[in-house]
Amino acid sequence: MIRAVICDDEKAALNIIRHFLDAQKLPIEIIGTAENGRDAWSLIKREKPDLVFMDIHMPYMNGFEIIQKMENSKVIIITAYDSFEYAQKALRLGASDIISKPIEFGQLRQAIARAVGWKFTGNEIVNTILEYIYEHYAEKIELETLAGITFCSESHIARVFKKHTGMTIVSYVHKVRIEKSVQILEDGQMSVKEAAEAVGYQNLNNFYKYFKLYVGEPPASYVRKKRQA
């Protein structure tokens, strides 16, 4: 489960976010809330959440002051002020997204997807599998393991996953691995072979095969074009 906290001095915002997460059965657990900046900072220091829903304007400390002190947690800024300047500052400080009040479910869903790095579906089983894939993509992922964490049969999870994502589980794992390898290669700190191993490919031929399938060209060609751009 993704551990999250909500920091907002408006109870309506707290309730809306909670309602959305519960209604959509997302794999996000709210482990604490705070209604002022001082309590928010204490909560974040103590719990070290994966995700923070952060209001900008709160008593004692504002959201920007808290973000500057934080490490590792992903942040979604929530504000009643629709300001380009606020958006710029939030993104510059490392916030994953900024959404305006009143909170709309569609906007909140998109912001969460951007923050955690993957899209949710309307199925709790599939969401659990997606979360596992994104956390363990560099490891060997087997249907038996996924069946165990979802308490379902292998045939059932294979069927519902294909229904909600349009892809088989195996194909989706390859897709995630290649997406991660693209990020690594664009960073320029690893060779193609090192990038392949970092995302779970021990066989370089397999890496080349799936890279070309999902990117449209071999990794070496992709890297060369990026360097020339």
Side-chain angles (χ1 to χ4, degrees), residues 2 41 43-44 50-52 65 73 77 83-84 96 114 121 128 155 161-162 170 175 179 199 206 208 213 221 224:
I2 298 167
W41 177 229
L43 174 65
I44 292 167
D50 304 307
L51 180 63
V52 177
E65 291 176 291
S73 302
I77 289 287
S83 164
F84 179 69
S96 298
R114 278 191 284 268
T121 73
T128 300
S155 60
F161 191 90
K162 179 73 178 290
V170 172
K175 173 178 173 290
E179 288 173 349
V199 299
N206 276 344
Y208 274 78
L213 176 64
S221 173
R224 186 166 56 252

Side-chain angles (χ1 to χ4, degrees), residues 173-225:
V173 171
H174 285 301
K175 173 178 173 290
V176 172
R177 285 177 171 175
I178 297 305
E179 288 173 349
K180 298 296 183 181
S181 74
V182 166
Q183 294 173 8
I184 291 171
L185 291 172
E186 287 183 349
D187 186 51
Q189 300 299 310
M190 290 187 184
S191 67
V192 170
K193 184 176 185 297
E194 289 170 337
E197 292 175 348
V199 299
Y201 289 103
Q202 303 306 315
N203 185 312
L204 201 56
N205 287 333
N206 276 344
F207 176 64
Y208 274 78
K209 171 186 172 182
Y210 288 106
F211 195 98
K212 189 171 183 180
L213 176 64
Y214 289 105
V215 179
E217 60 184 323
S221 173
Y222 179 84
V223 171
R224 186 166 56 252
K225 286 183 178 179

Side-chain angles (χ1 to χ4, degrees), residues 1 22 24-27 121-130 150 164:
M1 291 287 282
D22 291 341
Q24 296 295 309
K25 294 181 170 58
L26 301 185
T121 73
N123 184 279
E124 189 173 2
I125 293 171
V126 177
N127 287 340
T128 300
I129 295 172
L130 287 171
T150 57
H164 286 273

